[in-house]
Every structure is written in C-alpha cells, then in structure tokens.
C-alpha cells in the first residue's frame, strides 16, 4: 500500500485534487454565492495545485528544449495571474477614457504593476536566497557556498544567466525614461504615460531574448526524481503532450482563480480598515505572485537553486518588459484607438523606485552571487519603505499622506541608486565579463560565432 502511495501519479492526482473545488465553483457559476473567506481558501488551494503542476511541466520539458527556454515559459505562466489582474485595470481605464473612473483605473494598473515587480525582488529574490542557504543545511546544493563570517554565505548562480541579467538591465535602464512619455490626463495637464514606443522597445527586448535562448542547445538534462522523472520516461510524443496538458491546465487554473483570490484578499483587508489602493498595490500582487514563489521554493527544496533563480530572473524580465508593454495594448484596445495609459505624479515616483530597486538587484547579481547580507538588505529596504508608507496613510489625511509618500519614494530611489553605483564600481570587471558572455551567447544564437573549445 505504501509503495502505491509513493507512485508519482499520486502526487499529480493530489495536485489536481486541490483544484477540483475551485473548478466546480467556477464551472457552475457559483463563485458569487460563496462567502469571501471560502473563495480565498478554495481559489488559493487551486493556485497551490497549479504551482506544482507548472513546476513538474517545466522540469519535464527540459529533456526536449533548452533549459533556459523551458524556465522562461514557466516564468510567463507562473506570473500569468499578475497579467490578468493588471490587464483588468488597464481595460477599465481604456473603456472609461476621460472620466475619473478611467483615471483611477489607469493609476491602479501602474500601481499594481510596480507593486508586483518590487515584491518579486524585495520578497521573492531575498526570501528564496535566504531559504536556499537554510535548506543547504539538509541538502547538498552545489549552488550554496559556505564562507567564514556572519551573513557571508552565498548562493552562486550559473554564469549562463548572464543573458537574462543583461536583458533585465537593458529593460531597467529604459524604464527610467518611461515617465518622460507624456499623456493628457483627465482634468487637464500632462503626466507620464505608457505608450506605443514603450511597447515596441520593451516587448521587442523580450522577443529578442526569447529568440536567443530558444536557439540554445538542449543540455544534458539534470537527473530528475519523482514526478518529472516519471514523465521523462515517456516516449517523446506522449511526453510533449503531457507537458502541454500540465501547462494548459495550470494556466487555466491561474487565470480563473487568482483574480477572485486577489479580490477576496482585498475585501478581507478592507474589512480590517486597510485602504483599497494600498491593497491593490501590495496585497493583490502578493497573491498573484504566489505561484511563482511556490514554484521556486519547490525547486530550491530539490537542491535546484540555480533553476529557481533562473525562473525568478526570467519572471522579473518578462514582468518588466511584457507586462509594462502590454498595458498600453490592452488600454488601446479597450479605448478603441491607439493611446497611452496615463498616470499621475505618484505613479511616476513608483516607477522610478521600482527601476532603482531593479538596478540595485542587478548590481548584486553582477558577480553571479547573492549573499545572505545582500538578501537581507533587499528585504529590509523593501519592507521598511512599505511599512513607513503605510504608517503615513494611517496617520495623515489623504493629500498630505500622498505628498509624504512621494518624498519617501524619492528618498528610497536615491538610496537604491547609490548602493547600485557603489556595487557596480566595485565589481566593474565582473560586470564587463557578464556583458561579454552575453555578447558571445548572442553571436552564437545568430550563427556568427562558435563556442570556444573548453569554454564553460
């Protein structure tokens, strides 16, 4: 009996079982007749099940496609909830152009996007790094290097991640200029706007990145255990079909379950007196990012920290390119004409601090390492800013609280930039090496270069 329970398909059935209550509610249209707390629990369990299915699908796919590409697909699917939630606000803004409701929705779309990006680094990258070092006490993860001194243990990254890091840097630098694209805002005046140029540049960057990684060689895949090993034993056609089913089914779960999950959390927060704008910027993205964090924690728990960080960096890259770029597309479709998604001064500050945080995080990874000290620094900087801003909201009336919040965001932006410049200056040789590796990878992808013999 015990041997049967250990069969890989039992785990797969358990993951499917987590999703069944939600599927019944969704398929029968009974969602609106259920209590908010129940919706949060049932949809949350569906997201949990989808996370495991996504991870198994990506690991199985590594046998047939380049690992970087498999993890890039995983990253896109794992952050699909964030796309769904943000697209909802962008659509509302486009459908209500020139009205206060449209203006509010446009600001919420930007706030939700910046919140999701900062959570991914501030909590995702930092917490996963800390968890990786912690798990190394029980697992022999080759990615963890134990060093003498407090908080000096590091997670070392595969140098093949240079392509992802370089493209993320390019998108980050461009993001600093997004607020300079002007758009007419309801009530008159000009403010920042996400428009056609932003879409072309950012989506183009991601398309170029995918074009490079998909041309990579299919590596000698890591020996798998459990569910991925079982699926990889299938013949090629059934194996590919299984991967597509896992990706498709988990994608359906995420797209249908996360929005009710996020809105349910918002409703619960409001019942405790937390402002809805704050909930939409922080609590909703935290919920929508949960599949990605669960998937990466699962990979780390299997001593696959390198694959986990590859997925995290890929997620940040597609959110910082595709997510921003497609907001203008959704907005224009809803508006019935090509336009720019507008945002106010507060969201300008939000975009700049998000870009600055990304710049600092890239500086940390420029030597292909992240130490416990650096991970804690990312976490503390993120949490302190959010908590101080929350204190402003609860302490001061709305106009004054927003003014103080904007000042706070600028202070943290300067802090992130100063730390990043310091690290880049110290690691300028490692940074040059990173860019050099990316250039070699790009030349190989377009057939203008061949790997040097003995190159790592």
């Amino acid at each position: 009996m015990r041997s049967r329970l250990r069969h890989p398909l039992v785990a797969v059935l358990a993951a499917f079982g987590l999703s069944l209550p939600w599927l019944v509610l969704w398929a029968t249209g009974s969602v609106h007749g259920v209590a908010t707390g129940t919706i949060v629990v049932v949809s949350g369990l569906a997201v949990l099940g989808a996370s495991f299915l996504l991870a198994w699908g990506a690991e199985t796919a590594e046998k047939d496609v380049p690992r970087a590409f498999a993890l890039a697909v995983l990253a896109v699917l794992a952050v699909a909830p964030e796309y769904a939630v943000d697209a909802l606000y962008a659509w509302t803004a486009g459908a209500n152009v020139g009205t206060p409701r449209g203006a509010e929705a446009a600001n919420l779309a930007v706030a939700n996007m910046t919140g999701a990006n900062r959570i991914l680094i501030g909590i995702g990258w930092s917490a996963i790094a800390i968890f990786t070092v912690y798990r190394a006490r029980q697992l022999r993860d080759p990615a963890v290097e134990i060093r003498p001194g407090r908080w000096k243990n590091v997670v070392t990254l595969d140098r093949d991640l240079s392509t992802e890091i370089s493209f993320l840097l390019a998108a980050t630098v461009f993001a600093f200029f997004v607020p300079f694209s002007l758009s007419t805002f309801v009530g008159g005046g000009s403010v920042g706007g996400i428009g056609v140029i932003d879409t072309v540049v950012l989506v183009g960057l991601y398309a170029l990145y995918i074009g490079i990684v998909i041309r990579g060689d299919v590596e000698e895949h890591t020996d798998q255990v459990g569910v991925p090993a079982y699926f990889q034993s299938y013949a090629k056609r059934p194996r590919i079909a299984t991967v597509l089913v896992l990706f498709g089914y988990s994608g359906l779960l995420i797209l249908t379950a996360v929005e009710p999950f996020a809105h349910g959390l918002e409703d619960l927060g409001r019942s405790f007196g937390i402002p809805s704008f704050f909930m939409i910027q922080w609590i909703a993205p935290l919920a929508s990012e949960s599949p990605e964090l669960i998937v990466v924690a699962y990979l780390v728990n299997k001593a696959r920290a390198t694959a986990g960080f590859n997925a995290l960096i890929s997620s940040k890259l597609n959110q910082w390119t595709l997510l921003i770029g497609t907001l203008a597309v959704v907005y224009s479709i809803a508006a019935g004409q090509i336009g720019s998604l507008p945002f106010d001064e507060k969201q300008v500050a939000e975009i700049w601090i998000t870009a600055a945080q990304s710049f600092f995080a890239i500086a940390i990874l420029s030597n292909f390492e992240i130490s416990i000290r650096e991970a804690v620094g990312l976490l503390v900087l993120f949490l302190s800013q959010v908590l101080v801003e929350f204190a402003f909201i609860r302490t001061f009336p709305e106009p004054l609280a927003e003014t103080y919040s904007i000042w706070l965001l600028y202070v943290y932006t300067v802090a992130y930039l100063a730390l990043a410049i310091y690290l880049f200056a110290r690691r300028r040789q490692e940074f040059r090496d990173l860019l050099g590796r990316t250039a070699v990878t790009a030349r190989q992808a377009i057939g203008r270069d061949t790997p040097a013999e003995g190159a790592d």
Side-chain angles (χ1 to χ4, degrees), residues 30-259:
S30 305
V31 175
H32 298 294
V34 179
T36 301
T38 302
I39 288 295
V40 169
V41 172
V42 172
S43 58
L45 289 175
V47 170
L48 177 64
S51 301
F52 284 106
L53 296 175
L54 275 177
W56 292 330
E59 289 184 294
T60 303
E62 288 178 20
K63 189 168 184 177
D64 300 295
V65 299
R67 184 182 65 182
F69 179 70
L71 290 171
V73 173
L74 169 64
V76 171
L77 290 173
V79 297
E82 181 55 37
Y83 282 79
V85 173
D86 226 347
L88 175 66
Y89 295 124
W91 182 274
T92 302
N96 296 274
V97 175
T99 68
R101 183 184 179 194
E104 180 187 24
N107 280 326
L108 290 177
V110 177
N112 189 262
M113 176 272 293
T114 55
N117 274 278
R118 298 221 294 281
I119 285 171
L120 188 56
I121 287 181
I123 293 181
W125 290 22
S126 60
I128 292 300
I130 294 169
F131 178 60
T132 300
V133 174
Y134 169 76
R135 286 296 292 155
R137 298 176 181 177
Q138 291 84 32
L139 305 172
R140 294 183 178 179
D141 193 331
V144 176
E145 184 177 327
I146 306 300
R147 295 178 178 176
R150 178 176 294 183
W151 294 0
K152 291 188 177 180
N153 297 338
V154 301
V155 179
T156 59
L157 305 182
D158 190 336
R159 292 183 180 270
D160 288 340
L161 291 176
S162 58
T163 303
E164 285 80 0
I165 296 172
S166 296
F167 273 87
L168 179 55
L169 175 61
T172 296
V173 171
F174 180 80
F176 280 105
F177 297 94
V178 169
F180 292 108
S181 300
L182 298 182
S183 175
T184 302
F185 200 65
V186 63
S190 295
V191 294
I194 300 174
V196 175
I197 294 177
D198 304 313
T199 298
V200 171
V201 172
L202 293 173
V203 175
L205 274 174
Y206 194 75
L208 179 60
Y209 159 71
I210 290 297
I212 290 174
V213 300
I214 200 173
R215 290 173 178 264
D217 295 328
V218 178
E219 302 143 357
E220 188 67 30
H221 65 279
T222 305
D223 290 334
Q224 301 286 359
V225 296
V227 174
Y230 178 76
F231 286 145
Q232 285 185 348
S233 68
Y234 288 5
K236 187 170 184 178
R237 288 187 178 180
R239 183 172 64 244
I240 293 175
T242 300
V243 169
L244 294 177
V245 169
L246 290 174
F247 279 170
Y249 183 76
S250 55
L252 173 66
L253 288 176
I254 288 172
L255 288 173
T256 59
V258 168
E259 184 181 343

Side-chain angles (χ1 to χ4, degrees), residues 351-431:
I351 289 176
W352 277 338
I353 188 177
T354 307
Q357 183 208 44
S358 179
F359 195 57
F360 175 49
I362 293 167
I364 288 175
L365 299 187
S366 61
N367 64 346
F368 299 99
E369 294 178 354
I370 178 170
S371 68
I372 290 295
R373 177 187 300 172
E374 291 166 340
V376 171
L378 277 175
L379 184 63
V380 169
L381 281 169
F382 170 77
L383 291 179
S384 61
Q385 179 265 310
V386 174
L387 292 175
V388 172
E389 186 172 2
F390 182 68
F392 288 164
I393 292 173
R394 298 304 298 267
T395 305
F396 302 104
E398 185 174 342
L400 189 59
E402 181 167 318
T403 299
Y404 287 166
S405 294
I406 292 173
W407 291 352
L408 179 72
L409 294 175
Y410 286 145
V411 168
Y412 272 81
T413 297
V414 172
Y416 278 125
L417 289 175
L419 290 169
I421 292 170
Y422 170 74
L423 284 179
F424 275 125
R426 286 193 59 184
R427 301 172 178 177
R428 52 188 176 274
Q429 183 57 52
E430 290 96 331
F431 180 59

